Amino acid sequence: MLDKGIEMLQANMRVDDWQLRRKHLVEHQLYLIGTQVESQRRAETDLINIDVFAAAPSDNAKGRGTSTLQFTPGISDDIPERIERALDMAALAVTPRYELPGPADYQAIELRDPELAERPWETMERWRTELHEAIRRENDVRLSAAEFFVGLETNTMLNSRGVKGQYPATRAFIEMVLLAGNRQEENENYFSTTVRAMSHLNLSRIVKERATYARDMLTAQTPQSRTGPVIISGRAVAHLFDPFVYRTNGQAIYRKFFNTAIGDDVFGERAISGDPLDIAVDPTIPYGGASAPFDEEGLPLRRIQLIKQGRVENLMASKRYADYLGIPATGAATNTVVGTGSLTFEQLLRGPACHIVEFADFHADPMSGDFVSEIRLGYEIDARGNATPIKGGAVSGNVFNAFTNCRMSQETARLRRYYGPKAIRFEELAIGGA
Amino acid sequence: MTIGRNPAERSFLRELVAEMEHKAPYASILINENRSLAISSATRMDRVNETGPQAGAVLTAWTGEHFEEEVTSDLSRDGLAQAARNLIGRISVKPGGLSIDPGPPTAADYATAHRIDPAQVAISDKLEHCREMRRQIQEADQRIVDASCRYNENRIKTTFVNRNRDLFQEITYLTFGPMIVISDGSTTRYDILYNAGTGGYELAQVDQQEVDAMIARIPCLLQAKRVEPGLYDVITCPAASGLIAHESFGHGVETDMFLKGRARAHDYINRPVGSELVDLYDDPTWPAGPGSFFFDDEGQPASQTKVLDKGVLVSGLTDLNAAMRLKLPRTANGRREGTGKAYARMTNTYFGAGSDKLEDMIASIEHGIYLGDFESGMEDPKGWGVQCVLRWGRAIEDGKLTDQYFTQVGLTGYVPDLLGSISMTADDIRLSGGTCGKGYKEWVRVGDGGPHMKMKARLG
C-alpha cells in the first residue's frame, strides 16, 4: 500500500514535494489491581502521515502550500482523492518556501532492547513478580494498582528529495501506586516512568524509595508560608529547564515570541551567583527517552549545545524555521542534557531548608518562566539535618529569577528525556502554606 | 470495513461477538474512527490540515476473572477475524466467575445535532473566518507580537456491539478561538479564548465582549505580579469553578479508584463533604457539552449522574469493571482514549447554579481575588488535596474589581475545607471544554463548569 501511495504522489503533477512518516506499533499491556490481573491487552496499530507541498499558483519561488493527510492502512481506499483534497487545502494556505532535507547518513543509535522486543509478556510477568516481592519487603505498604506496557515501534521516513530512513525502538511504561497506613488513615504514592531498556529499570530500588514516601505522607504537615531556600528533586527538575530550551526554539523566534540571538545571556541583566547554566540536546544517548537518528523532516540529528555558561550558543530549528531565519537546521528537540553543579546532593540539603521530592503536577510556563505547584511531599530540614515530612501548600517562582541564585547537584538523574542534576537548590523561593 | 450505518458490516460484527462468546462468557467490539480538520491563521502563517481517518477496533473478552483485549487498526473483515482468533486463542476461561450483564436489547444510531452542518461550509470560508478574527485582534494593540485563531473540527464515529447492543454514534466536536502572545520587550505572556462543544458550525464564534476584555487586559497582564501566598476570599469564574469541580471531586468519584483503594470518597458515600450550596453533576447529555455523547465506550447509554446533593456525596461514576465488582449502578462513564483501555472517566462535570448575582458577590468582598481562566489542574483523590493553576487573577478591594492582575495563580487546599467554604453561588452556569488525563495519560474530551462561586482558598 505504501509503494502504491508513493507512486501516486510521484505521478501527481500538482505535488511539488512530499514527505511521509509511518509509525507501526505493537504494544503489550498488563493492568493489575492489587495482586490480581484486571486486564491484559495487545495492540497493533499502523499510522501514515503524508505532508504534501503544492506549488503556489502565482510564484512558486516565494511560497507554497502544505497540508497533511493521515490514514490507517486497511481502511483507506481513496488515497488519490485524499491527495487531491490535501493539495486543494495546501493551496489555501501558502507559506514562505523552504526546501526539504535531502538524503543523509544517519547515525546508528541503540534503541531496540531485544528482551523487550522479543519477550514482552515474559518481561511483564517478571516485573510483576519483582514488584510483589519488593513490596513484601516493605513494612506497612501495599500495592494499589500497577500498569506495565511494553512496545516495539518502527519509524519510517521518506521524502521526495530522496530521504529514506527507518529505525526500530522499544519503549516500556511502568505505573504503580503504593498505599501506606490503614483504612482510617491511609495515603498513596504514585510513580510512573518510561524506559527503553530493561537495564534502566530497577524496581526494587523504586519500591524502596516510594514506600518511604508513602509512609512519610501519613505524618506530613502543611509547611509554614515563607520565602527561603528550597531544594527540588524528582520529576519536577526536568521541567525547570523547559523555558530556557524554548527561548532557543526557531519557531518561537520566528513568531517573535522572543528575540533570542546567539551570544545572548539568558538571564539578561540579572546578577548571577551560584552554578552556571549549561544545556544541550543530545539525540545520540543509547536508549535515551527522546533519542532518534532523524527527526520528522528526515534531518539527521546530532548533539547541539544550546546554552553554555548562561549564554546562548546555538538555536534549535526544524528545516522550515531554519530556512526562514537563515540559520543552520538542527532538527527537533531531543534529550535535554544539563551540566552538573558544584555540590553533592548531601551538601545541597544543608538546613534550614525545604526539600520538595514531589509536586502534584509541575510545569513552568514556557513563555514567562513562572511556575506554581502544590507540594505533594517534601521535608523541612533543620540546621542539624533532621527532616520532617510536609505536604500541601505550594511553591512558586520564576525560573529566570530562580536560577540566578542556585546550586545544582553533582549527582545526575535520568528522567525520561532529561539527563542532568538530580537536585537543584534555590536560595529564594516562595512557599505558600499554613 | 465501513464504520457506520452499513447493516451488513454491523451484522458481521455481531457474528464475530457470537463467535467469541463460544468461549468467553462475554465479548464486545468497539470500533472508532476520528477525522479532524485543523485550520489556523497566525500572524506569520496559515495552516489547513485534514487528518484521519485514524481508526481502530477493540475486541474485548471477559474470562470470568479479568478482561482480555486485542486492538487492531486493520479493519478489514480478515483483519478483525484474525484479531478475534488471536484474542480467543490466548484466553483461559474461569468457570463460576463473575458474569457481565450485556444490558437490555438496544439498537440505535445517533448523531450530534447542529444548526449549521460544518460539512456545508467551505474550508476556504472557515479559513477566512479565522483570518478575520486574527486580523481584528492583531490590529488592536502593538504589544501583540503574534495573534492567531484556530478552528478544529473532529468527527468521531463509534460503533459498539455486544450480545444485546448494536449502537452507532457520530459526534462532531468543534473548538474555535483566538490566542495572543504579548510582549513589552522584557516580559512575554499569552492569553487565549475559545469556545468548545459538540454541535455544528454555530460553535465557531466567541463573544465579542470577551475579545474586547482580552485586549483590554493586555497592559495589566504585562504588569501583573505574583500573588502573595495566603488565604483569600475568592470568586471563581465559571471556568475556574469547573476546574475545581473536576479536580476536587470529579476524579475522586471515578469508581475504578474505589476498586484500587485510591479514593477517600469511597468511605464518604451519603456523608457531607461540602457546603449545602454545593450540587455537583456529571452529565454526558448536556446539550452541546464538550464531553457529551450518546453512549459510552462500553455501550452504556448516556444519562445524568448527581454526585453531590447539597454537599452530600450521593453517587460515584462507574465503568463496567468497577460497577460489576463493587455492585454499583452503571453510569455512562466507561471511556477510552481512542482504542486505549476503558476507565471510569468524567464527561461534563459541573457545579449546579445558585441564585446569587455576581455583582453582589464582588460587593461582598473587602479584600480578595477574582480568579480568571484556568491553565491546568491535578487531582489527589486519596489525600483530598487539590491543585488548580489559573492563568490570571484580579484583585478585589472594597467590593470592587481593580486593575491589579496576578498571573499563574495557584489554588491549593484540602477538598472538604474548600468545598465547605463556598458561601455564594451565582445563577450563571457555563461549561468550558478541555482534555482530561488519568494521571499523566489516557486523554479524553471533557466539559467542566459551574457558576461564579465565592469561597475561601489558599493561593500562591
Side-chain angles (χ1 to χ4, degrees):
Chain A
M1 179 171 207
L2 200 57
D3 291 343
K4 203 171 134 194
I6 291 167
E7 276 173 28
M8 289 172 190
L9 287 163
Q10 286 169 334
N12 192 315
M13 298 304 287
R14 292 175 68 204
V15 176
D16 198 34
D17 263 320
W18 56 267
Q19 58 187 14
L20 180 151
R21 297 175 298 281
R22 180 179 194 175
K23 185 173 183 172
H24 178 265
L25 172 69
V26 180
E27 190 169 71
H28 297 76
Q29 306 169 353
L30 172 64
Y31 300 79
L32 303 175
I33 296 181
T35 55
Q36 303 299 309
V37 173
E38 179 198 5
S39 182
Q40 292 189 122
R41 310 176 85 236
R42 180 185 175 277
E44 182 164 3
T45 54
D46 199 0
L47 192 65
I48 295 173
N49 281 286
I50 301 173
D51 301 324
V52 292
F53 295 76
S58 53
D59 187 352
N60 188 36
K62 287 186 177 169
R64 57 182 181 175
T66 314
S67 188
T68 303
L69 67 113
Q70 181 187 63
F71 59 92
T72 310
I75 63 164
S76 304
D77 51 9
D78 57 349
I79 303 299
E81 293 85 347
R82 301 278 310 286
I83 292 172
E84 290 300 329
R85 200 170 151 80
L87 287 163
D88 291 344
M89 283 189 280
L92 291 172
V94 175
T95 55
R97 188 181 176 93
Y98 72 98
E99 301 305 325
L100 296 186
D105 290 329
Y106 299 125
Q107 186 174 338
I109 305 168
E110 289 174 71
L111 294 171
R112 182 185 180 278
D113 182 325
E115 189 75 6
L116 292 176
E118 291 155 24
R119 287 175 286 280
W121 289 126
E122 294 87 337
T123 299
M124 292 191 295
E125 271 306 316
R126 192 156 73 245
W127 285 340
R128 182 184 174 188
T129 305
E130 275 181 45
L131 181 63
H132 290 315
E133 284 175 359
I135 291 171
R136 267 197 293 274
R137 289 194 290 270
E138 295 294 329
N139 292 326
D140 201 24
V141 168
R142 65 189 172 94
L143 180 67
S144 155
E147 298 184 1
F148 301 126
F149 297 2
V150 175
L152 172 63
E153 63 186 41
T154 306
N155 297 285
T156 305
M157 173 78 211
L158 303 164
N159 80 9
S160 51
R161 302 298 176 98
V163 160
K164 199 171 185 180
Q166 188 175 72
Y167 67 92
T170 46
R171 188 176 294 275
F173 170 80
I174 293 94
E175 178 183 279
M176 66 174 194
V177 181
L178 298 182
L179 296 170
N182 54 43
R183 192 75 186 248
Q184 280 70 44
E185 192 54 56
E186 195 172 52
N187 247 309
E188 73 168 31
N189 183 267
Y190 170 94
F191 172 82
S192 69
T193 190
T194 303
V195 297
R196 277 181 151 168
M198 285 281 286
S199 58
H200 289 184
L201 187 72
N202 183 336
L203 272 175
S204 296
R205 186 187 58 75
I206 292 165
V207 167
K208 191 172 179 59
E209 177 186 80
R210 296 286 153 173
T212 303
Y213 289 172
R215 285 189 294 261
D216 287 348
M217 287 281 285
L218 292 168
T219 56
Q221 301 294 315
T222 308
Q224 294 297 312
S225 293
R226 65 180 185 279
T227 297
V230 175
I231 301 104
I232 294 177
S233 63
R235 66 193 301 163
V237 170
H239 298 294
L240 285 162
F241 299 95
D242 293 345
F244 292 102
V245 174
Y246 196 48
R247 294 265 159 147
T248 68
N249 180 292
Q251 183 182 12
I253 295 166
Y254 176 73
R255 295 183 70 180
K256 311 278 187 200
F257 296 175
F258 316 111
N259 52 7
T260 313
I262 289 170
D264 281 0
D265 188 327
V266 293
F267 299 108
E269 293 172 359
R270 298 172 182 91
I272 310 294
S273 59
D275 290 331
L277 184 63
D278 294 339
I279 302 178
V281 289
D282 188 351
T284 65
I285 298 170
Y287 302 107
S291 294
F294 52 83
D295 75 353
E296 295 212 329
E297 290 181 320
L299 275 173
L301 293 169
R302 58 193 172 86
R303 182 186 166 100
I304 307 284
Q305 189 72 41
L306 297 177
I307 295 168
K308 185 79 178 169
Q309 301 279 306
R311 290 197 177 273
V312 175
E313 195 156 289
N314 284 290
L315 303 176
M316 190 172 47
S318 64
K319 187 66 168 60
R320 175 194 286 271
Y321 292 102
D323 281 9
Y324 290 176
L325 294 168
I327 60 175
T330 61
T334 55
N335 304 298
T336 303
V337 180
V338 178
T340 52
S342 51
L343 300 178
T344 64
F345 180 53
E346 199 179 323
Q347 288 170 324
L348 287 185
L349 295 180
R350 185 190 71 249
C354 181
H355 175 206
I356 312 298
V357 298
E358 281 200 329
F359 288 98
D361 184 28
F362 189 94
H363 293 286
D365 176 48
M367 299 266 188
S368 66
D370 289 341
F371 62 86
V372 57
S373 189
E374 184 200 15
I375 300 167
R376 203 43 78 79
L377 179 66
Y379 298 89
E380 291 280 16
I381 301 169
D382 67 18
R384 294 180 175 182
N386 299 314
T388 310
I390 54 170
K391 68 177 176 185
V395 173
S396 60
N398 177 288
V399 297
F400 296 108
N401 293 328
F403 271 90
T404 59
N405 190 5
C406 79
R407 294 281 182 182
M408 295 184 250
S409 69
Q410 293 172 355
E411 296 88 341
T412 58
R414 182 185 60 234
L415 300 160
R416 199 170 161 260
R417 56 190 300 168
Y418 167 83
Y419 297 77
K422 169 184 171 173
I424 305 169
R425 179 185 174 108
F426 300 100
E427 292 305 328
E428 277 198 13
L429 283 185
I431 298 173
Chain B
M1 171 68 66
T2 316
I3 300 161
R5 298 184 170 86
N6 185 328
E9 302 293 9
R10 302 267 283 274
S11 170
F12 171 73
L13 295 179
R14 287 196 300 276
E15 286 167 19
L16 218 49
V17 166
E19 213 169 287
M20 291 194 288
E21 288 192 339
H22 282 148
K23 185 172 180 186
Y26 172 85
S28 66
I29 298 175
L30 175 93
I31 298 182
N32 63 28
E33 177 199 281
N34 188 350
R35 290 173 188 261
S36 69
L37 173 65
I39 297 174
S40 66
S41 176
T43 301
R44 288 167 189 81
M45 194 176 296
D46 292 343
R47 301 294 290 267
V48 180
N49 279 314
E50 191 178 50
T51 57
Q54 194 171 351
V58 184
L59 291 83
T60 302
W62 170 247
T63 67
E65 196 171 50
H66 69 269
F67 289 96
E68 292 271 352
E69 293 190 327
E70 185 83 6
V71 177
T72 179
S73 58
D74 182 352
L75 300 188
S76 65
R77 286 190 174 211
D78 287 347
L80 290 169
Q82 182 60 52
R85 282 194 294 275
N86 290 346
L87 179 61
I88 290 304
R90 72 165 191 256
I91 69 167
S92 303
V93 173
K94 187 190 179 199
L98 290 169
S99 65
I100 290 178
D101 175 7
T106 315
D109 287 6
Y110 306 96
T112 301
H114 52 71
R115 287 207 301 278
I116 306 168
D117 183 356
Q120 299 304 313
V121 180
I123 291 174
S124 56
D125 290 345
K126 292 169 182 169
L127 174 61
E128 193 49 37
H129 185 42
C130 290
R131 284 175 173 156
E132 279 171 20
M133 171 60 72
R134 189 258 300 162
R135 283 188 207 110
Q136 182 198 337
I137 54 174
Q138 179 78 59
E139 290 158 10
D141 194 301
Q142 289 189 334
R143 287 164 290 197
I144 297 173
V145 295
D146 186 86
S148 59
C149 181
R150 289 175 184 225
Y151 171 91
N152 280 288
E153 179 187 309
N154 284 79
R155 286 174 180 265
I156 304 120
K157 294 178 181 177
T158 309
T159 301
F160 179 87
V161 174
N162 73 11
R163 196 185 317 148
N164 287 351
R165 293 204 160 144
D166 183 350
L167 305 169
F168 170 76
Q169 65 185 1
E170 183 168 0
I171 308 290
T172 306
Y173 175 82
L174 261 97
T175 60
F176 175 83
M179 174 176 165
I180 52 173
V181 178
I182 55 178
S183 177
D184 59 9
S186 59
T187 303
T188 302
R189 298 197 192 283
Y190 73 97
D191 207 350
I192 189 167
L193 291 177
Y194 71 100
N195 191 22
T198 47
Y201 193 65
E202 66 276 6
L203 292 167
Q205 55 185 326
V206 287
D207 189 331
Q208 186 58 43
Q209 281 187 330
E210 290 187 23
V211 176
D212 295 342
M214 180 171 78
I215 300 299
R217 63 176 172 258
I218 288 173
C220 302
L221 285 183
L222 286 171
Q223 298 293 320
K225 298 177 180 172
R226 302 306 299 274
V227 71
E228 187 70 28
L231 193 66
Y232 289 84
D233 280 324
V234 303
I235 292 175
T236 53
C237 73
S241 299
L243 182 62
I244 292 169
H246 184 100
E247 304 298 353
S248 70
F249 238 86
H251 279 293
V253 293
E254 293 170 339
T255 54
D256 61 318
M257 305 292 260
F258 288 14
L259 266 182
K260 295 167 185 168
R262 294 190 63 191
R264 191 175 293 189
H266 194 189
D267 296 328
Y268 279 77
I269 297 286
N270 296 322
R271 291 170 63 183
V273 293
S275 151
E276 287 188 2
L277 294 175
V278 180
D279 289 333
L280 182 72
Y281 301 88
D282 185 84
D283 188 358
T285 70
W286 181 277
S292 294
F293 51 72
F294 301 94
F295 58 87
D296 73 7
D297 292 329
E298 295 177 308
Q300 179 68 19
S303 63
Q304 185 193 70
T305 304
K306 191 167 195 178
V307 176
L308 299 181
D309 184 11
K310 295 184 173 59
V312 176
L313 175 58
V314 291
S315 179
L317 309 175
T318 60
D319 60 0
L320 179 61
N321 189 42
M324 171 181 65
R325 293 183 188 276
L326 295 168
K327 299 184 171 50
L328 292 173
R330 187 74 172 82
T331 63
N333 296 94
R335 303 186 68 189
R336 301 174 189 266
E337 179 191 2
T339 53
K341 178 185 175 295
Y343 296 85
R345 308 300 302 274
M346 283 173 270
T347 62
N348 300 302
T349 310
Y350 55 93
F351 287 119
S355 56
D356 293 304
K357 298 291 177 195
L358 176 59
E359 51 271 30
D360 296 337
M361 295 165 72
I362 294 170
S364 73
I365 292 180
E366 193 179 332
H367 172 70
I369 295 182
Y370 178 91
L371 295 175
D373 285 344
F374 69 78
E375 186 88 27
S376 66
M378 183 48 89
E379 73 276 16
D380 179 15
K382 191 68 179 174
W384 267 357
V386 63
Q387 170 183 310
C388 297
V389 179
L390 294 312
R391 194 173 310 121
W392 53 266
R394 188 175 176 185
I396 302 170
E397 297 296 341
D398 300 323
K400 291 189 177 66
L401 287 167
T402 74
D403 282 340
Q404 176 61 62
Y405 276 67
F406 306 97
T407 59
Q408 289 276 310
V409 181
L411 180 155
T412 60
Y414 182 59
V415 168
D417 290 349
L418 188 68
L419 298 187
S421 76
I422 293 171
S423 55
M424 296 176 89
T425 52
D427 54 359
D428 55 356
I429 191 166
R430 185 172 164 184
L431 262 62
S432 304
T435 53
C436 162
K438 193 88 168 171
Y440 295 92
K441 58 183 181 62
E442 315 291 346
W443 299 95
V444 297
R445 286 195 182 88
V446 294
D448 302 317
H452 279 94
M453 302 177 92
K454 181 185 172 185
M455 63 188 79
K456 277 200 180 296
R458 189 193 300 143
L459 305 181

